[in-house]
């Protein structure tokens, strides 16, 4: 996601973050996690912290 941003300056992604990104992408591809919309995520956060 970071690499897809139209950002004028280069930035470094640490090896640890790159491994985490790859792990999360693999979990999505393998169907191990279910994605939810940003709207749904915000609703869940509001319920949790209100």
């Amino acid at each position: 996601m970071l690499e897809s941003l139209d950002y004028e300056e280069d930035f470094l992604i640490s090896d640890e973050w790159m491994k985490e990104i790859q792990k999360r992408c693999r979990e999505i591809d393998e169907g191990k996690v279910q994605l939810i919309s940003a709207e749904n995520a915000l609703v869940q956060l509001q319920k949790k912290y209100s």
Side-chain angles (χ1 to χ4, degrees):
M1 184 167 71
L2 290 173
E3 292 174 347
S4 69
L5 297 175
D6 187 20
Y7 193 69
E8 293 181 13
E9 296 180 35
D10 289 338
F11 55 90
L12 296 175
I13 300 174
S14 70
D15 288 339
E16 291 84 9
W17 265 116
M18 186 57 70
K19 288 177 185 176
E20 182 66 22
I21 292 166
Q22 291 170 340
K23 175 184 150 253
R24 291 181 186 198
C25 288
R26 189 172 47 254
E27 288 174 342
I28 292 168
D29 292 342
E30 293 173 355
K32 292 182 178 180
V33 295
Q34 181 179 359
L35 301 179
I36 62 172
S37 68
E39 182 179 336
N40 190 350
L42 291 174
V43 167
Q44 290 182 27
L45 285 170
Q46 286 175 336
K47 287 179 182 177
K48 182 175 182 176
Y49 293 105
S50 61

